[in-house]
Amino acid sequence: MKLQLYVPDGRYAPWIEGFAEVLPEAECLKWEESGDASVDYAVVWRPPVEMLRGRTDLRAIFNLGAGVDGILRLRDEDKDALPNGVPIVRLDDAGMAAQMAEYVTAAVLRDFRKLDAYAAQAAAGTWKFIKPHRRADFTIGVMGIGTLGSHIARTLAQFGFPVRGWSRSPKQVQGVQTFHGEDGRGEFLDGLRVLVNVLPLTPDTEDIIDASLLSRLADGAHLVNVARGQHVVEADLLAAVQSGKIGGATLDVFREEPLPAGHPFWQEPRITITPHISALTLREDSIAQIAQKIRALGEGKPIAGVVDIDRGY
C-alpha cells in the first residue's frame, strides 16, 4: 500500500513517522518527490491542482482538516482537476471540536461578562460597576451545526444560555433550538446577541454574513467567525461595528491570510483578531483516524466523512 502526502509547509517527517507507527504496511511518499508514481491514497492539505488532475490510481483522497474548500476550489481552476469517482474524505473531528468550543466559549463569555469594557476602565484607572447582561436574554446562534458546530452549541447550552442552531437541512441537537433552510434562517437570526459562524464554505454560503444578515441581530451583538473569511463581507462588518449596530467581533479567519498589515480590521479596537488558531489539526489524532478509515476501506466497510462534492461538504 502506498500513500502520497502533500503538506504546504513541507514538514513531512512527523507525518511519515506517524503513519509508519500506526500503518506500518504503508509506504509514505512526498508528492514533490514521487511525481507520477502510482499510489493508493492521497493525504493532503490544500494541494496544488497538478497533484490530482487526471489521476486514475487513487482509491480515496484524505483531507487534513474538516473544511474541504481547499480541495474543491481546484474545480474552479480546472473542471477536470479532481479525479472522477474518487471519494474525498474529511476529518470528522480529530480533536478540533473541543478546541473550537474552547475558543468560542472564551469569546462568548468575554462579551457576556463585559470584560473588554472592564479592561478599558482598568486602562483608564476607573473603578466602576457595569450593569451585567441577563443570561435569559443573551441568545446565542450557531450557524452550521455539523460535527464541530453541534459540539459548540451543546457546550454553550451547558452554561445556561438560550442557544439556537441553523443548518441547511433539519438537525436535532440536545438543548438547542434548531432551524433549517432559507425559510428558517430569518427566525434563527432575529435578535441574536451572539452569532457564531461554523458553516462550510460553498458557493451558497460565500458572503452570507453581509449587511442584511447583520441587521437582523440584536443591537450591539457580537460576531464570532471560526469558519472561513470568505463568509464575511468585510466592508459590511466594519461599517456595522463602526455604526454601533454590531458591538464587536472575534475573528479567527480572513479572506486573505495572513491579514495584511494595512487592513482596517487592525485599527478597529472592537474587532479581536487571532491567526487562524481556533482549532489546530492534531497530528496524532488525525493520523490515527485516517489509518482507521484506510483499513475500513480495505475491508470493504463504509466510513464517515465522505464529502458530497455537489453540496461542498
Side-chain angles (χ1 to χ4, degrees), residues 90-94 284-293:
R90 65 177 181 269
L91 292 179
D92 300 321
D93 180 348
E284 291 183 0
D285 291 359
S286 300
I287 289 172
Q289 184 182 134
I290 292 169
Q292 182 182 40
K293 290 184 176 182

Side-chain angles (χ1 to χ4, degrees), residues 69 76 185 197 199-210 228-233 255:
D69 51 288
D76 298 332
R185 194 169 71 183
N197 179 42
L199 287 170
L201 180 61
T202 70
D204 290 336
T205 64
E206 186 169 359
D207 294 332
I208 192 171
I209 301 175
D210 60 5
R228 289 291 185 266
Q230 291 86 342
H231 286 125
V232 178
V233 179
R255 287 180 177 269

Side-chain angles (χ1 to χ4, degrees), residues 38-85:
S38 179
V39 300
D40 300 288
Y41 301 100
V43 180
V44 303
W45 178 249
R46 296 190 176 276
V49 65
E50 56 268 26
M51 179 178 181
L52 301 176
R53 184 198 292 120
R55 298 290 292 268
T56 59
D57 54 337
L58 295 175
R59 298 182 61 188
I61 301 166
F62 288 92
N63 185 59
L64 292 173
V68 293
D69 51 288
I71 293 179
L72 298 186
R73 67 175 172 81
L74 300 179
R75 294 184 303 172
D76 298 332
E77 302 174 18
D78 181 345
K79 64 181 179 63
D80 298 318
L82 301 180
N84 289 329

Side-chain angles (χ1 to χ4, degrees), residues 180-201:
H180 70 275
E182 290 302 312
D183 292 342
R185 194 169 71 183
E187 187 178 356
F188 160 78
L189 292 167
D190 282 344
L192 287 180
R193 190 60 189 73
V194 178
L195 174 64
V196 181
N197 179 42
V198 204
L199 287 170
L201 180 61

Side-chain angles (χ1 to χ4, degrees), residues 78-140:
D78 181 345
K79 64 181 179 63
D80 298 318
L82 301 180
N84 289 329
V86 178
I88 298 171
V89 186
R90 65 177 181 269
L91 292 179
D92 300 321
D93 180 348
M96 290 182 287
Q99 295 177 72
M100 198 168 279
E102 292 166 354
Y103 180 98
V104 171
T105 300
V108 168
L109 293 179
R110 187 171 187 85
D111 186 50
F112 177 65
R113 295 302 303 267
K114 301 192 175 184
L115 296 183
D116 286 331
Y118 281 115
Q121 285 190 176
T126 301
W127 180 285
K128 183 181 178 181
F129 169 79
I130 302 173
K131 184 178 179 180
H133 290 292
R134 185 169 177 268
R135 189 180 303 269
D137 298 331
F138 201 83
T139 305
I140 303 168

Side-chain angles (χ1 to χ4, degrees), residues 3 15 42 50 58 82-83 91 104 109 113 121 161 166 175 199 217 245 262 264 268 270 294 311:
L3 311 185
W15 292 97
E50 56 268 26
L58 295 175
L82 301 180
L91 292 179
V104 171
L109 293 179
R113 295 302 303 267
Q121 285 190 176
F161 295 117
W166 181 82
L199 287 170
L217 308 182
K245 170 59 185 177
E268 176 46 70
R270 289 163 291 191
I294 286 175
R311 297 181 70 175

